[in-house]
Every structure is written in C-alpha cells, then in structure tokens.
PDB file of all heavy atoms in Angstrom:
ATOM      1  N   ILE A   1     -17.139   8.529  -5.981  1.00 97.00           N
ATOM      2  CA  ILE A   1     -18.441   8.024  -5.525  1.00 97.00           C
ATOM      3  C   ILE A   1     -19.304   7.558  -6.813  1.00 97.00           C
ATOM      4  O   ILE A   1     -19.760   6.407  -6.776  1.00 97.00           O
ATOM      5  CB  ILE A   1     -19.391   9.067  -4.893  1.00 97.00           C
ATOM      6  CG1 ILE A   1     -18.771   9.437  -3.494  1.00 97.00           C
ATOM      7  CG2 ILE A   1     -20.847   8.673  -4.704  1.00 97.00           C
ATOM      8  CD1 ILE A   1     -19.307  10.652  -2.769  1.00 97.00           C
ATOM      9  N   ASP A   2     -19.298   8.209  -7.897  1.00 95.00           N
ATOM     10  CA  ASP A   2     -20.033   7.857  -9.020  1.00 95.00           C
ATOM     11  C   ASP A   2     -19.462   6.464  -9.658  1.00 95.00           C
ATOM     12  O   ASP A   2     -20.041   5.659 -10.097  1.00 95.00           O
ATOM     13  CB  ASP A   2     -20.123   8.896 -10.076  1.00 95.00           C
ATOM     14  CG  ASP A   2     -21.022  10.012  -9.736  1.00 95.00           C
ATOM     15  OD1 ASP A   2     -21.679   9.862  -8.732  1.00 95.00           O
ATOM     16  OD2 ASP A   2     -21.172  10.942 -10.510  1.00 95.00           O
ATOM     17  N   HIS A   3     -18.025   6.540  -9.711  1.00 95.00           N
ATOM     18  CA  HIS A   3     -17.345   5.335 -10.093  1.00 95.00           C
ATOM     19  C   HIS A   3     -17.642   4.114  -9.371  1.00 95.00           C
ATOM     20  O   HIS A   3     -17.957   3.062 -10.020  1.00 95.00           O
ATOM     21  CB  HIS A   3     -15.795   5.497 -10.071  1.00 95.00           C
ATOM     22  CG  HIS A   3     -15.021   4.282 -10.344  1.00 95.00           C
ATOM     23  ND1 HIS A   3     -15.012   3.664 -11.559  1.00 95.00           N
ATOM     24  CD2 HIS A   3     -14.256   3.686  -9.569  1.00 95.00           C
ATOM     25  CE1 HIS A   3     -14.157   2.536 -11.412  1.00 95.00           C
ATOM     26  NE2 HIS A   3     -13.675   2.494 -10.179  1.00 95.00           N
ATOM     27  N   VAL A   4     -17.679   4.193  -8.086  1.00 97.00           N
ATOM     28  CA  VAL A   4     -17.925   2.979  -7.248  1.00 97.00           C
ATOM     29  C   VAL A   4     -19.522   2.593  -7.591  1.00 97.00           C
ATOM     30  O   VAL A   4     -19.848   1.457  -7.665  1.00 97.00           O
ATOM     31  CB  VAL A   4     -17.746   3.340  -5.704  1.00 97.00           C
ATOM     32  CG1 VAL A   4     -18.492   2.356  -4.923  1.00 97.00           C
ATOM     33  CG2 VAL A   4     -16.273   3.312  -5.513  1.00 97.00           C
ATOM     34  N   ILE A   5     -20.413   3.480  -7.489  1.00 96.00           N
ATOM     35  CA  ILE A   5     -21.777   3.077  -7.749  1.00 96.00           C
ATOM     36  C   ILE A   5     -22.035   2.577  -9.139  1.00 96.00           C
ATOM     37  O   ILE A   5     -22.774   1.486  -9.320  1.00 96.00           O
ATOM     38  CB  ILE A   5     -22.756   4.383  -7.457  1.00 96.00           C
ATOM     39  CG1 ILE A   5     -22.683   4.672  -5.945  1.00 96.00           C
ATOM     40  CG2 ILE A   5     -24.209   4.107  -7.908  1.00 96.00           C
ATOM     41  CD1 ILE A   5     -23.389   5.986  -5.590  1.00 96.00           C
ATOM     42  N   ARG A   6     -21.571   3.211 -10.099  1.00 94.00           N
ATOM     43  CA  ARG A   6     -21.665   2.734 -11.525  1.00 94.00           C
ATOM     44  C   ARG A   6     -21.177   1.300 -11.657  1.00 94.00           C
ATOM     45  O   ARG A   6     -21.797   0.543 -12.331  1.00 94.00           O
ATOM     46  CB  ARG A   6     -20.937   3.681 -12.462  1.00 94.00           C
ATOM     47  CG  ARG A   6     -21.554   4.919 -12.873  1.00 94.00           C
ATOM     48  CD  ARG A   6     -20.901   5.591 -14.046  1.00 94.00           C
ATOM     49  NE  ARG A   6     -21.448   6.896 -14.279  1.00 94.00           N
ATOM     50  CZ  ARG A   6     -20.840   8.088 -13.896  1.00 94.00           C
ATOM     51  NH1 ARG A   6     -19.567   8.071 -13.352  1.00 94.00           N
ATOM     52  NH2 ARG A   6     -21.301   9.303 -14.181  1.00 94.00           N
ATOM     53  N   THR A   7     -19.886   1.124 -11.111  1.00 95.00           N
ATOM     54  CA  THR A   7     -19.324  -0.260 -11.288  1.00 95.00           C
ATOM     55  C   THR A   7     -20.142  -1.296 -10.523  1.00 95.00           C
ATOM     56  O   THR A   7     -20.321  -2.338 -10.998  1.00 95.00           O
ATOM     57  CB  THR A   7     -17.905  -0.176 -10.788  1.00 95.00           C
ATOM     58  OG1 THR A   7     -17.129   0.914 -11.391  1.00 95.00           O
ATOM     59  CG2 THR A   7     -17.185  -1.378 -11.181  1.00 95.00           C
ATOM     60  N   ALA A   8     -20.532  -0.955  -9.298  1.00 97.00           N
ATOM     61  CA  ALA A   8     -21.261  -2.059  -8.599  1.00 97.00           C
ATOM     62  C   ALA A   8     -22.568  -2.483  -9.345  1.00 97.00           C
ATOM     63  O   ALA A   8     -22.864  -3.565  -9.422  1.00 97.00           O
ATOM     64  CB  ALA A   8     -21.774  -1.442  -7.298  1.00 97.00           C
ATOM     65  N   LEU A   9     -23.302  -1.486  -9.898  1.00 95.00           N
ATOM     66  CA  LEU A   9     -24.560  -1.779 -10.670  1.00 95.00           C
ATOM     67  C   LEU A   9     -24.298  -2.461 -11.844  1.00 95.00           C
ATOM     68  O   LEU A   9     -25.016  -3.370 -12.316  1.00 95.00           O
ATOM     69  CB  LEU A   9     -25.433  -0.508 -10.801  1.00 95.00           C
ATOM     70  CG  LEU A   9     -25.928   0.174  -9.409  1.00 95.00           C
ATOM     71  CD1 LEU A   9     -26.728   1.405  -9.892  1.00 95.00           C
ATOM     72  CD2 LEU A   9     -26.682  -0.760  -8.743  1.00 95.00           C
ATOM     73  N   ARG A  10     -23.167  -2.123 -12.564  1.00 93.00           N
ATOM     74  CA  ARG A  10     -22.943  -2.652 -13.859  1.00 93.00           C
ATOM     75  C   ARG A  10     -22.478  -4.141 -13.681  1.00 93.00           C
ATOM     76  O   ARG A  10     -22.831  -4.942 -14.452  1.00 93.00           O
ATOM     77  CB  ARG A  10     -21.835  -1.899 -14.609  1.00 93.00           C
ATOM     78  CG  ARG A  10     -21.577  -2.372 -15.992  1.00 93.00           C
ATOM     79  CD  ARG A  10     -20.448  -1.654 -16.648  1.00 93.00           C
ATOM     80  NE  ARG A  10     -19.170  -1.762 -16.018  1.00 93.00           N
ATOM     81  CZ  ARG A  10     -18.546  -0.788 -15.521  1.00 93.00           C
ATOM     82  NH1 ARG A  10     -19.102   0.420 -15.329  1.00 93.00           N
ATOM     83  NH2 ARG A  10     -17.326  -0.975 -14.810  1.00 93.00           N
ATOM     84  N   GLU A  11     -21.508  -4.325 -12.651  1.00 95.00           N
ATOM     85  CA  GLU A  11     -21.033  -5.589 -12.428  1.00 95.00           C
ATOM     86  C   GLU A  11     -21.890  -6.598 -11.504  1.00 95.00           C
ATOM     87  O   GLU A  11     -21.607  -7.759 -11.625  1.00 95.00           O
ATOM     88  CB  GLU A  11     -19.540  -5.559 -11.990  1.00 95.00           C
ATOM     89  CG  GLU A  11     -18.653  -4.741 -12.766  1.00 95.00           C
ATOM     90  CD  GLU A  11     -18.256  -5.329 -14.137  1.00 95.00           C
ATOM     91  OE1 GLU A  11     -18.308  -6.627 -14.106  1.00 95.00           O
ATOM     92  OE2 GLU A  11     -18.257  -4.550 -15.033  1.00 95.00           O
ATOM     93  N   GLN A  12     -22.870  -6.018 -10.907  1.00 96.00           N
ATOM     94  CA  GLN A  12     -23.617  -6.796  -9.917  1.00 96.00           C
ATOM     95  C   GLN A  12     -22.725  -7.446  -8.951  1.00 96.00           C
ATOM     96  O   GLN A  12     -22.791  -8.601  -8.536  1.00 96.00           O
ATOM     97  CB  GLN A  12     -24.471  -7.732 -10.648  1.00 96.00           C
ATOM     98  CG  GLN A  12     -25.623  -7.239 -11.516  1.00 96.00           C
ATOM     99  CD  GLN A  12     -26.780  -6.492 -10.567  1.00 96.00           C
ATOM    100  OE1 GLN A  12     -27.502  -7.121 -10.039  1.00 96.00           O
ATOM    101  NE2 GLN A  12     -26.734  -5.127 -10.703  1.00 96.00           N
ATOM    102  N   LYS A  13     -21.837  -6.558  -8.361  1.00 98.00           N
ATOM    103  CA  LYS A  13     -20.842  -6.888  -7.357  1.00 98.00           C
ATOM    104  C   LYS A  13     -20.738  -5.925  -6.361  1.00 98.00           C
ATOM    105  O   LYS A  13     -21.090  -4.744  -6.665  1.00 98.00           O
ATOM    106  CB  LYS A  13     -19.429  -7.336  -7.992  1.00 98.00           C
ATOM    107  CG  LYS A  13     -19.322  -8.460  -9.006  1.00 98.00           C
ATOM    108  CD  LYS A  13     -19.425  -9.705  -8.281  1.00 98.00           C
ATOM    109  CE  LYS A  13     -19.200 -10.917  -9.279  1.00 98.00           C
ATOM    110  NZ  LYS A  13     -19.224 -12.226  -8.629  1.00 98.00           N
ATOM    111  N   PRO A  14     -20.287  -6.199  -5.182  1.00 98.00           N
ATOM    112  CA  PRO A  14     -20.091  -5.221  -4.092  1.00 98.00           C
ATOM    113  C   PRO A  14     -18.966  -4.190  -4.446  1.00 98.00           C
ATOM    114  O   PRO A  14     -18.059  -4.522  -5.289  1.00 98.00           O
ATOM    115  CB  PRO A  14     -19.772  -5.938  -2.859  1.00 98.00           C
ATOM    116  CG  PRO A  14     -19.169  -7.199  -3.262  1.00 98.00           C
ATOM    117  CD  PRO A  14     -19.836  -7.561  -4.674  1.00 98.00           C
ATOM    118  N   ALA A  15     -19.043  -3.009  -3.809  1.00 98.00           N
ATOM    119  CA  ALA A  15     -17.994  -1.971  -3.986  1.00 98.00           C
ATOM    120  C   ALA A  15     -17.717  -1.350  -2.671  1.00 98.00           C
ATOM    121  O   ALA A  15     -18.569  -1.555  -1.666  1.00 98.00           O
ATOM    122  CB  ALA A  15     -18.425  -0.997  -5.029  1.00 98.00           C
ATOM    123  N   TYR A  16     -16.716  -0.511  -2.624  1.00 98.00           N
ATOM    124  CA  TYR A  16     -16.277  -0.057  -1.414  1.00 98.00           C
ATOM    125  C   TYR A  16     -15.829   1.415  -1.453  1.00 98.00           C
ATOM    126  O   TYR A  16     -15.141   1.919  -2.476  1.00 98.00           O
ATOM    127  CB  TYR A  16     -15.020  -0.909  -0.866  1.00 98.00           C
ATOM    128  CG  TYR A  16     -14.208  -0.258   0.152  1.00 98.00           C
ATOM    129  CD1 TYR A  16     -14.509  -0.596   1.576  1.00 98.00           C
ATOM    130  CD2 TYR A  16     -13.068   0.571  -0.066  1.00 98.00           C
ATOM    131  CE1 TYR A  16     -13.710   0.051   2.587  1.00 98.00           C
ATOM    132  CE2 TYR A  16     -12.351   1.090   0.878  1.00 98.00           C
ATOM    133  CZ  TYR A  16     -12.573   0.811   2.286  1.00 98.00           C
ATOM    134  OH  TYR A  16     -11.868   1.436   3.252  1.00 98.00           O
ATOM    135  N   LEU A  17     -16.185   2.197  -0.404  1.00 98.00           N
ATOM    136  CA  LEU A  17     -15.652   3.493  -0.333  1.00 98.00           C
ATOM    137  C   LEU A  17     -15.180   3.807   1.138  1.00 98.00           C
ATOM    138  O   LEU A  17     -15.804   3.304   2.102  1.00 98.00           O
ATOM    139  CB  LEU A  17     -16.870   4.617  -0.573  1.00 98.00           C
ATOM    140  CG  LEU A  17     -17.176   4.933  -1.863  1.00 98.00           C
ATOM    141  CD1 LEU A  17     -18.474   5.694  -1.787  1.00 98.00           C
ATOM    142  CD2 LEU A  17     -16.223   5.860  -2.613  1.00 98.00           C
ATOM    143  N   ASP A  18     -14.068   4.537   1.298  1.00 97.00           N
ATOM    144  CA  ASP A  18     -13.806   5.063   2.614  1.00 97.00           C
ATOM    145  C   ASP A  18     -13.773   6.535   2.567  1.00 97.00           C
ATOM    146  O   ASP A  18     -13.243   7.055   1.388  1.00 97.00           O
ATOM    147  CB  ASP A  18     -12.627   4.504   3.448  1.00 97.00           C
ATOM    148  CG  ASP A  18     -11.256   4.724   2.730  1.00 97.00           C
ATOM    149  OD1 ASP A  18     -10.906   5.854   2.658  1.00 97.00           O
ATOM    150  OD2 ASP A  18     -10.586   3.746   2.298  1.00 97.00           O
ATOM    151  N   ILE A  19     -14.264   7.267   3.463  1.00 98.00           N
ATOM    152  CA  ILE A  19     -14.392   8.713   3.380  1.00 98.00           C
ATOM    153  C   ILE A  19     -13.853   9.320   4.716  1.00 98.00           C
ATOM    154  O   ILE A  19     -14.257   8.985   5.876  1.00 98.00           O
ATOM    155  CB  ILE A  19     -15.818   9.205   3.268  1.00 98.00           C
ATOM    156  CG1 ILE A  19     -16.368   8.669   2.063  1.00 98.00           C
ATOM    157  CG2 ILE A  19     -16.017  10.743   3.191  1.00 98.00           C
ATOM    158  CD1 ILE A  19     -17.985   8.943   1.758  1.00 98.00           C
ATOM    159  N   ALA A  20     -12.691  10.066   4.589  1.00 97.00           N
ATOM    160  CA  ALA A  20     -12.095  10.638   5.838  1.00 97.00           C
ATOM    161  C   ALA A  20     -13.101  11.402   6.518  1.00 97.00           C
ATOM    162  O   ALA A  20     -13.954  11.987   6.031  1.00 97.00           O
ATOM    163  CB  ALA A  20     -10.971  11.567   5.322  1.00 97.00           C
ATOM    164  N   CYS A  21     -12.998  11.228   7.925  1.00 96.00           N
ATOM    165  CA  CYS A  21     -13.967  11.751   8.751  1.00 96.00           C
ATOM    166  C   CYS A  21     -14.131  13.225   8.770  1.00 96.00           C
ATOM    167  O   CYS A  21     -15.141  13.922   9.025  1.00 96.00           O
ATOM    168  CB  CYS A  21     -13.657  11.444  10.242  1.00 96.00           C
ATOM    169  SG  CYS A  21     -12.109  11.821  10.866  1.00 96.00           S
ATOM    170  N   ASN A  22     -12.991  14.020   8.308  1.00 97.00           N
ATOM    171  CA  ASN A  22     -13.019  15.509   8.222  1.00 97.00           C
ATOM    172  C   ASN A  22     -13.398  15.893   6.745  1.00 97.00           C
ATOM    173  O   ASN A  22     -13.320  17.131   6.456  1.00 97.00           O
ATOM    174  CB  ASN A  22     -11.666  16.171   8.582  1.00 97.00           C
ATOM    175  CG  ASN A  22     -10.494  15.595   7.760  1.00 97.00           C
ATOM    176  OD1 ASN A  22     -10.464  14.446   7.236  1.00 97.00           O
ATOM    177  ND2 ASN A  22      -9.509  16.504   7.525  1.00 97.00           N
ATOM    178  N   VAL A  23     -13.641  14.927   5.833  1.00 97.00           N
ATOM    179  CA  VAL A  23     -13.935  15.287   4.594  1.00 97.00           C
ATOM    180  C   VAL A  23     -15.598  15.011   4.240  1.00 97.00           C
ATOM    181  O   VAL A  23     -16.166  15.591   3.488  1.00 97.00           O
ATOM    182  CB  VAL A  23     -13.314  14.376   3.555  1.00 97.00           C
ATOM    183  CG1 VAL A  23     -13.738  14.598   2.129  1.00 97.00           C
ATOM    184  CG2 VAL A  23     -11.775  14.842   3.561  1.00 97.00           C
ATOM    185  N   ALA A  24     -16.177  14.229   5.250  1.00 97.00           N
ATOM    186  CA  ALA A  24     -17.494  13.808   5.072  1.00 97.00           C
ATOM    187  C   ALA A  24     -18.476  15.174   5.028  1.00 97.00           C
ATOM    188  O   ALA A  24     -19.551  15.051   4.369  1.00 97.00           O
ATOM    189  CB  ALA A  24     -18.118  12.958   6.105  1.00 97.00           C
ATOM    190  N   ASN A  25     -18.164  16.122   5.691  1.00 97.00           N
ATOM    191  CA  ASN A  25     -18.979  17.389   5.769  1.00 97.00           C
ATOM    192  C   ASN A  25     -18.223  18.505   4.949  1.00 97.00           C
ATOM    193  O   ASN A  25     -18.763  19.666   5.177  1.00 97.00           O
ATOM    194  CB  ASN A  25     -19.344  17.718   7.219  1.00 97.00           C
ATOM    195  CG  ASN A  25     -18.116  18.071   8.051  1.00 97.00           C
ATOM    196  OD1 ASN A  25     -16.966  17.839   7.690  1.00 97.00           O
ATOM    197  ND2 ASN A  25     -18.215  18.572   9.259  1.00 97.00           N
ATOM    198  N   ALA A  26     -17.340  18.277   4.227  1.00 97.00           N
ATOM    199  CA  ALA A  26     -16.578  19.254   3.378  1.00 97.00           C
ATOM    200  C   ALA A  26     -17.372  19.575   2.187  1.00 97.00           C
ATOM    201  O   ALA A  26     -18.261  18.683   1.672  1.00 97.00           O
ATOM    202  CB  ALA A  26     -15.244  18.786   2.939  1.00 97.00           C
ATOM    203  N   GLU A  27     -17.340  20.925   1.742  1.00 96.00           N
ATOM    204  CA  GLU A  27     -18.294  21.329   0.668  1.00 96.00           C
ATOM    205  C   GLU A  27     -17.909  20.645  -0.619  1.00 96.00           C
ATOM    206  O   GLU A  27     -16.779  20.384  -0.899  1.00 96.00           O
ATOM    207  CB  GLU A  27     -18.068  22.813   0.500  1.00 96.00           C
ATOM    208  CG  GLU A  27     -19.101  23.523  -0.472  1.00 96.00           C
ATOM    209  CD  GLU A  27     -19.142  24.980  -0.409  1.00 96.00           C
ATOM    210  OE1 GLU A  27     -18.345  25.577   0.489  1.00 96.00           O
ATOM    211  OE2 GLU A  27     -19.688  25.577  -1.254  1.00 96.00           O
ATOM    212  N   CYS A  28     -18.979  20.390  -1.385  1.00 94.00           N
ATOM    213  CA  CYS A  28     -18.895  19.564  -2.632  1.00 94.00           C
ATOM    214  C   CYS A  28     -19.906  20.012  -3.636  1.00 94.00           C
ATOM    215  O   CYS A  28     -20.936  20.675  -3.152  1.00 94.00           O
ATOM    216  CB  CYS A  28     -19.162  18.069  -2.133  1.00 94.00           C
ATOM    217  SG  CYS A  28     -19.187  16.810  -3.465  1.00 94.00           S
ATOM    218  N   THR A  29     -19.549  19.708  -4.909  1.00 88.00           N
ATOM    219  CA  THR A  29     -20.576  20.112  -5.938  1.00 88.00           C
ATOM    220  C   THR A  29     -21.812  19.241  -5.687  1.00 88.00           C
ATOM    221  O   THR A  29     -21.782  17.911  -5.318  1.00 88.00           O
ATOM    222  CB  THR A  29     -20.037  19.846  -7.285  1.00 88.00           C
ATOM    223  OG1 THR A  29     -19.646  18.423  -7.458  1.00 88.00           O
ATOM    224  CG2 THR A  29     -18.890  20.819  -7.544  1.00 88.00           C
ATOM    225  N   ARG A  30     -23.057  19.714  -6.085  1.00 86.00           N
ATOM    226  CA  ARG A  30     -24.246  18.941  -5.888  1.00 86.00           C
ATOM    227  C   ARG A  30     -24.399  17.836  -7.095  1.00 86.00           C
ATOM    228  O   ARG A  30     -24.065  18.409  -8.414  1.00 86.00           O
ATOM    229  CB  ARG A  30     -25.488  19.827  -5.788  1.00 86.00           C
ATOM    230  CG  ARG A  30     -26.675  19.079  -5.774  1.00 86.00           C
ATOM    231  CD  ARG A  30     -27.970  19.891  -5.401  1.00 86.00           C
ATOM    232  NE  ARG A  30     -29.001  19.050  -4.993  1.00 86.00           N
ATOM    233  CZ  ARG A  30     -30.157  19.678  -4.379  1.00 86.00           C
ATOM    234  NH1 ARG A  30     -30.183  20.970  -4.000  1.00 86.00           N
ATOM    235  NH2 ARG A  30     -31.116  18.835  -4.061  1.00 86.00           N
ATOM    236  N   PRO A  31     -24.769  16.783  -6.876  1.00 83.00           N
ATOM    237  CA  PRO A  31     -24.818  15.868  -8.098  1.00 83.00           C
ATOM    238  C   PRO A  31     -25.988  16.203  -9.129  1.00 83.00           C
ATOM    239  O   PRO A  31     -27.160  16.710  -8.643  1.00 83.00           O
ATOM    240  CB  PRO A  31     -25.179  14.525  -7.579  1.00 83.00           C
ATOM    241  CG  PRO A  31     -25.825  14.841  -6.222  1.00 83.00           C
ATOM    242  CD  PRO A  31     -25.108  16.040  -5.739  1.00 83.00           C
ATOM    243  N   GLY A  32     -25.691  16.018 -10.313  1.00 82.00           N
ATOM    244  CA  GLY A  32     -26.748  16.285 -11.408  1.00 82.00           C
ATOM    245  C   GLY A  32     -27.430  14.862 -11.546  1.00 82.00           C
ATOM    246  O   GLY A  32     -27.444  13.926 -10.678  1.00 82.00           O
ATOM    247  N   PRO A  33     -28.376  14.755 -12.660  1.00 81.00           N
ATOM    248  CA  PRO A  33     -28.970  13.627 -12.903  1.00 81.00           C
ATOM    249  C   PRO A  33     -28.079  12.438 -12.985  1.00 81.00           C
ATOM    250  O   PRO A  33     -26.994  12.571 -13.440  1.00 81.00           O
ATOM    251  CB  PRO A  33     -29.751  13.822 -14.229  1.00 81.00           C
ATOM    252  CG  PRO A  33     -29.734  15.437 -14.276  1.00 81.00           C
ATOM    253  CD  PRO A  33     -28.517  15.914 -13.612  1.00 81.00           C
ATOM    254  N   ILE A  34     -28.639  11.314 -12.608  1.00 76.00           N
ATOM    255  CA  ILE A  34     -27.663  10.094 -12.632  1.00 76.00           C
ATOM    256  C   ILE A  34     -27.566   9.659 -14.070  1.00 76.00           C
ATOM    257  O   ILE A  34     -28.528   9.630 -14.855  1.00 76.00           O
ATOM    258  CB  ILE A  34     -28.276   9.003 -11.761  1.00 76.00           C
ATOM    259  CG1 ILE A  34     -27.172   8.088 -11.295  1.00 76.00           C
ATOM    260  CG2 ILE A  34     -29.429   8.297 -12.295  1.00 76.00           C
ATOM    261  CD1 ILE A  34     -27.564   7.323 -10.023  1.00 76.00           C
ATOM    262  N   THR A  35     -26.330   9.316 -14.392  1.00 67.00           N
ATOM    263  CA  THR A  35     -26.067   8.852 -15.820  1.00 67.00           C
ATOM    264  C   THR A  35     -25.210   7.711 -15.918  1.00 67.00           C
ATOM    265  O   THR A  35     -24.475   7.311 -15.006  1.00 67.00           O
ATOM    266  CB  THR A  35     -25.279  10.064 -16.615  1.00 67.00           C
ATOM    267  OG1 THR A  35     -24.201  10.339 -15.893  1.00 67.00           O
ATOM    268  CG2 THR A  35     -26.252  11.363 -16.717  1.00 67.00           C
ATOM    269  N   ALA A  36     -25.162   7.033 -16.943  1.00 56.00           N
ATOM    270  CA  ALA A  36     -24.302   5.927 -17.264  1.00 56.00           C
ATOM    271  C   ALA A  36     -24.237   4.768 -16.232  1.00 56.00           C
ATOM    272  O   ALA A  36     -23.352   4.143 -15.841  1.00 56.00           O
ATOM    273  CB  ALA A  36     -22.794   6.424 -17.324  1.00 56.00           C
ATOM    274  N   LEU A  37     -25.518   4.580 -15.729  1.00 60.00           N
ATOM    275  CA  LEU A  37     -25.668   3.485 -14.644  1.00 60.00           C
ATOM    276  C   LEU A  37     -26.286   2.184 -15.203  1.00 60.00           C
ATOM    277  O   LEU A  37     -26.579   1.218 -14.544  1.00 60.00           O
ATOM    278  CB  LEU A  37     -26.438   4.017 -13.613  1.00 60.00           C
ATOM    279  CG  LEU A  37     -25.760   4.916 -12.517  1.00 60.00           C
ATOM    280  CD1 LEU A  37     -26.751   5.471 -11.571  1.00 60.00           C
ATOM    281  CD2 LEU A  37     -24.492   4.427 -12.030  1.00 60.00           C
ATOM    282  N   LEU A  38     -26.687   2.242 -16.458  1.00 59.00           N
ATOM    283  CA  LEU A  38     -27.410   1.083 -17.097  1.00 59.00           C
ATOM    284  C   LEU A  38     -26.432  -0.010 -17.475  1.00 59.00           C
ATOM    285  O   LEU A  38     -25.234   0.310 -17.653  1.00 59.00           O
ATOM    286  CB  LEU A  38     -28.068   1.509 -18.354  1.00 59.00           C
ATOM    287  CG  LEU A  38     -29.239   2.536 -18.227  1.00 59.00           C
ATOM    288  CD1 LEU A  38     -29.857   2.833 -19.436  1.00 59.00           C
ATOM    289  CD2 LEU A  38     -30.256   2.092 -17.178  1.00 59.00           C
TER     290      LEU A  38
END
C-alpha cells in the first residue's frame, strides 16, 4: 500500500491495488506517520 501511494504522488501518475476479498478485513499492523511521500 505504501509503495503504491508513494509512487503515485512522486510520479504524479495513477497507481493500482487489488486486495483479495478475504484479506480486506484481515488483521494488519496500524500505520505510523506518513513518510517519504515528498
């Protein structure tokens, strides 16, 4: 997720993610402060 968002903002181009329907509600680490997006 971070790679896709960082790259879209850096390149000013669209990006893509697909997320398996049984993974969307799977437990995950909480994001920290946003970094490296400039």
